[in-house]
Amino acid sequence: MQPYLLPYIGYFRLLSAVDHFVVYDNIQYTERGWINRNRLLSSGEAATFTVPLQKDSDYLDIRQRDIAESFNPRKLLGQFAGAYRKAPFFSQTFELLEKIFQCEEKNLFEFLYHSLEITCLHLNLDTPLIVSSQINADHGAAGQSRLISICNAMKADVYINPIGGNHLYSREAFAANGIDLQFLQYADTEYPQFALPFVPRLSIIDALMFNSVDDVCLQIASGGICV
């Protein structure tokens, strides 16, 4: 999977469902994705928060991009505080945010990887995280051929992908390489958000602001099935 900035709960459902979780560092950065931005709840609606990047080539890998010198962690923390100060689990979740955004790493991938490690620790998730470039696979291959090469290099006999990728990959191609391709299917779990209509698929931070860590862990563990 690509690394994302404080991804939504579905990302962690996938992470908890596998024995090893590969995080791409040697894949091209996509400007309009969720790599360095995500969404929080603001006045009952989804609002975007961002870690800005230095201007650079659109063709660089994630590990070749750097965070802008103008990035102000305190300002971003203030955005979260303004949105969630009255949430029931604000204090402990804000402490998590401080650990993440006080990281002095300027490399985009290293910053995101650090945030993922810290969040997994907070959620008591112990799935090993593997950096893709450290795997002896054919990283020049495209699409599912690259995935199959990574699986073969790790001697994996099962590969699990989010359900949204079911039109991208062929079970037959994976099976020909001795790999069972599965897709994780899940529904959004609703929870109270200031007694307002539920806004789904916000950052994991939203779930942690309104639910205890134990409840979020339960949502992660029970929130999906492989098909």
Side-chain angles (χ1 to χ4, degrees), residues 47-64:
T48 301
F49 64 92
T50 304
V51 170
L53 303 183
Q54 290 187 19
K55 292 184 179 180
D56 217 323
S57 169
D58 292 335
Y59 299 99
L60 293 179
D61 287 346
I62 296 172
R63 62 180 176 175
Q64 297 173 305

Side-chain angles (χ1 to χ4, degrees), residues 88-135:
F89 297 94
F90 171 78
S91 295
Q92 52 266 59
T93 307
F94 196 74
E95 288 180 7
L96 169 65
L97 286 168
E98 288 180 318
K99 291 178 183 178
I100 289 170
F101 290 120
Q102 286 174 357
C103 174
E104 297 182 357
E105 178 60 60
K106 294 300 183 184
N107 177 268
L108 174 61
F109 176 78
E110 295 298 336
F111 181 90
L112 295 174
Y113 190 81
H114 170 265
S115 72
L116 182 58
E117 285 186 312
I118 294 294
T119 307
C120 284
L121 183 63
H122 188 79
L123 294 169
N124 301 308
L125 293 174
D126 58 3
T127 304
L129 305 177
I130 312 296
V131 179
S132 61
S133 63
Q134 297 176 358
I135 302 171

Side-chain angles (χ1 to χ4, degrees), residues 5-30:
L5 178 62
L6 298 172
Y8 82 118
I9 196 169
Y11 191 96
F12 294 94
R13 284 173 175 155
L14 178 63
L15 191 150
S16 70
V18 300
D19 295 325
H20 295 85
F21 190 82
V22 176
V23 188
Y24 275 122
D25 65 332
N26 55 349
I27 193 169
Q28 188 175 322
Y29 169 80
T30 52

Side-chain angles (χ1 to χ4, degrees), residues 131-139 149-150 152-154:
V131 179
S132 61
S133 63
Q134 297 176 358
I135 302 171
N136 185 22
D138 182 5
H139 295 288
S149 178
I150 290 174
N152 287 335
M154 296 189 65

